[in-house]
Amino acid sequence: MSQIESSVLPQRPSAVILGAQWGDEGKGKIVDVLSEKFDIVARYAGGHNAGHTVIIDGQKFVLQLIPCGVLRPGCTGVIGNGVVLDPMAFLSEVQKLRAAGVRVDGNLFISNRAQVILPYHRMIELAAETAPGRQTIGTTRRGIGPAYEDKIHRNGLRVVDLLNPSLLRTHIHNACHEKNTIAHALFGTEPLDPKQMYEEYARAAEQIAPFVTDTAYLLNHALTVGQNIMFEGAQGALLDIDHGTYPFVTSSSSTAGGAVTGTGVGPRHAGTVIGVTKAYVTRVGEGPFPTEIEGETADLLRARGMEYGAVTGRPRRCGWLDIPLLRYSNMINSTQWLVVTKMDVLDECDEIPVCTAYEIDGKMTSIIPADIRGFKSIRPVYTRLKGWSCSTEGITEYDQLPKPAQQYLEFLERESGAKIGIVSTGPDRGQTITMPEFEDLFARKG
Ligand code: IMP
């Protein structure tokens, strides 16, 4: 396969799409809507901790690991090397997709360099998260953190190794012994059986093998023949291991930079950066959330927005848009375009507060603190915008939005420094406003 010439830029623009805050911004629908303009959708980080809900003609699909591009005929799905792959979760998603008549064979590829999540990763995480006196992160308990720990420790199992039975047997034998000993000593956990684990994972490997390839070559080759790629971030920028609200983050590079290291496509070929934000903000799990609200209004947003985690079912914490955090997110990702989802959820609000600055120790600032102590001393300063008190559900033209809704979006665009490309007014593909300038960015597939 030919490699992309370093001097040649792809003919059709690619894009990185990611959540602007803590995940669950409604990317699933947006990736699905945009995928008709992309040849490939490539996931670059995270694992089955993500939950993408896509509704097509009333049929609901919840994908955790597989990029939702596969739902669109003619679009190839790639699971990049930056992802941690739970083989059982992958196979169960494949089975559900096949049962729903979605084509996956020859249309979905896994990087041979992706890391594998094994049962002892879950065992260690569960024990550590529930151990008395430990800091709870509120993880999804899928073994994501421990699998990335092994990767960085150079102790992990990659997909290419999963397909090598003798290596797999030795790896599971050694790792299981080590993890069982640690988990028992620290948390009193019952040991896992390496023999049974090897047999189950060797069987899974056989089913996974047809999907595995060197996806860095696949993606770069695709660019040389004029195809384009949507790099799909899971989670959100503020859950990034380096730039997020550490330690209340996930264990991967969920910012736009992860698209490069997590797929093997160089930065010049990654394309436009699109950040997805709700018209308000939510978060699941523990950690700072300066504009969080509680009480009746939070309950209203949660009920109207159906704010319950797609993976764990946990109620999401709700709050108002936070411009300093959004500007920070736009800065670390070089976000050019914003997609605003769930606009219709605000339909019943008389007034919508938006945080435009922070007061910290009596001083006004919009700099994001690096530590939890700093976050705790934030007092959000709000600008109150007029609500529209009528339905925006299903509106497909910007001009048809009520004036206060347009003013809300214009305010958001001005304050955040990124242009709005799409506004989502409901869960279905059709309930979408696309701005003409954004529409023209990505030519339809030929
Ligand atoms: P982990 O990724 O399971 O280790 O969880 C770490 C933190 O990230 C927890 O607060 C999770 O709730 C959060 N998290 C992980 N994946 C997602 C996601 O896709 N959406 C929202 N939050 C997530």
Side-chain angles (χ1 to χ4, degrees), residues 132-298:
R134 299 267 298 213
Q135 167 116 289
T136 307
I137 304 290
T139 71
T140 57
R141 300 186 177 182
R142 299 288 193 267
I144 305 290
Y148 278 114
E149 271 176 51
D150 276 357
K151 170 179 177 172
I152 301 302
H153 199 216
R154 295 160 295 182
N155 209 15
L157 182 83
R158 298 186 304 166
V159 169
V160 66
D161 310 322
L162 178 73
L163 305 189
N164 176 337
S166 68
L167 206 151
L168 178 66
R169 186 194 298 270
T170 312
H171 185 95
I172 287 186
H173 177 83
N174 292 342
C176 227
H177 174 68
E178 186 185 307
K179 309 289 181 188
N180 279 343
T181 311
I182 294 172
H184 186 73
L186 290 180
F187 313 114
T189 312
E190 286 302 312
L192 295 170
D193 176 5
K195 189 165 171 292
Q196 189 190 342
M197 195 184 301
Y198 166 71
E199 280 160 12
E200 282 172 16
Y201 280 77
R203 269 198 305 277
E206 281 171 24
Q207 295 173 59
I208 281 175
F211 295 98
V212 178
T213 190
D214 191 322
T215 51
Y217 279 108
L218 182 150
L219 293 170
N220 282 286
H221 175 71
L223 292 172
T224 62
V225 297
Q227 296 193 336
N228 68 350
I229 303 168
M230 178 166 19
F231 299 92
E232 181 190 353
Q235 289 77 49
L238 304 176
L239 287 175
D240 184 273
I241 185 74
D242 287 283
H243 302 288
T245 46
Y246 193 90
F248 302 99
V249 292
T250 190
S251 298
S252 62
S253 299
S254 51
T255 39
V260 171
T261 52
T263 62
V265 172
R268 289 196 311 120
H269 304 302
T272 309
V273 181
I274 305 166
V276 185
T277 175
K278 282 176 191 159
Y280 50 100
V281 177
T282 62
R283 174 166 202 170
V284 282
E286 307 299 316
F289 183 174
T291 56
E292 181 170 15
I293 51 170
E294 277 166 14
E296 242 176 61
T297 313

Side-chain angles (χ1 to χ4, degrees), residues 178-400:
E178 186 185 307
K179 309 289 181 188
N180 279 343
T181 311
I182 294 172
H184 186 73
L186 290 180
F187 313 114
T189 312
E190 286 302 312
L192 295 170
D193 176 5
K195 189 165 171 292
Q196 189 190 342
M197 195 184 301
Y198 166 71
E199 280 160 12
E200 282 172 16
Y201 280 77
R203 269 198 305 277
E206 281 171 24
Q207 295 173 59
I208 281 175
F211 295 98
V212 178
T213 190
D214 191 322
T215 51
Y217 279 108
L218 182 150
L219 293 170
N220 282 286
H221 175 71
L223 292 172
T224 62
V225 297
Q227 296 193 336
N228 68 350
I229 303 168
M230 178 166 19
F231 299 92
E232 181 190 353
Q235 289 77 49
L238 304 176
L239 287 175
D240 184 273
I241 185 74
D242 287 283
H243 302 288
T245 46
Y246 193 90
F248 302 99
V249 292
T250 190
S251 298
S252 62
S253 299
S254 51
T255 39
V260 171
T261 52
T263 62
V265 172
R268 289 196 311 120
H269 304 302
T272 309
V273 181
I274 305 166
V276 185
T277 175
K278 282 176 191 159
Y280 50 100
V281 177
T282 62
R283 174 166 202 170
V284 282
E286 307 299 316
F289 183 174
T291 56
E292 181 170 15
I293 51 170
E294 277 166 14
E296 242 176 61
T297 313
D299 293 343
L300 177 79
L301 294 181
R302 194 171 299 114
R304 284 188 60 86
M306 289 180 282
E307 297 297 355
Y308 295 89
V311 175
T312 58
R314 290 178 288 180
R316 294 180 184 139
R317 299 156 65 192
C318 295
W320 302 119
L321 264 184
D322 182 331
I323 297 290
L325 266 178
L326 186 56
R327 287 185 72 91
Y328 172 75
S329 171
N330 290 349
M331 175 183 80
I332 58 177
N333 293 299
S334 66
T335 306
Q336 291 145 290
W337 291 92
L338 283 180
V339 168
V340 181
T341 61
K342 296 203 169 181
M343 193 66 187
D344 55 304
V345 172
L346 297 183
D347 284 352
E348 286 179 15
C349 300
D350 300 332
E351 157 181 281
I352 309 162
V354 177
C355 168
T356 43
Y358 297 154
E359 192 191 311
I360 300 183
D361 299 333
K363 293 198 189 89
M364 299 290 271
T365 180
S366 45
I367 301 289
I368 304 304
D371 66 344
I372 300 305
R373 216 172 37 166
F375 268 105
K376 282 195 176 139
S377 42
I378 288 176
R379 283 195 46 230
V381 179
Y382 288 105
T383 299
R384 291 171 194 280
L385 300 183
K386 197 164 166 276
W388 40 94
S389 305
C390 64
S391 174
T392 58
E393 196 186 335
I395 289 182
T396 54
E397 298 292 333
Y398 186 80
D399 293 345
Q400 285 168 14

Side-chain angles (χ1 to χ4, degrees), residues 64-124:
Q64 295 178 355
L65 189 54
I66 295 178
C68 34
V70 294
L71 299 174
R72 184 77 76 168
C75 190
T76 298
V78 168
I79 296 177
N81 57 277
V83 170
V84 282
L85 182 110
D86 182 318
M88 304 311 177
F90 174 79
L91 290 173
S92 125
E93 260 179 57
V94 161
Q95 195 184 13
K96 281 188 204 137
L97 286 171
R98 280 187 182 135
V102 176
R103 185 176 157 235
V104 285
D105 301 288
N107 200 34
L108 173 63
F109 298 96
I110 303 171
S111 166
N112 51 1
R113 291 181 172 84
Q115 295 277 328
V116 179
I117 302 181
L118 286 152
Y120 47 73
H121 292 128
R122 275 192 303 280
M123 169 182 79
I124 296 258

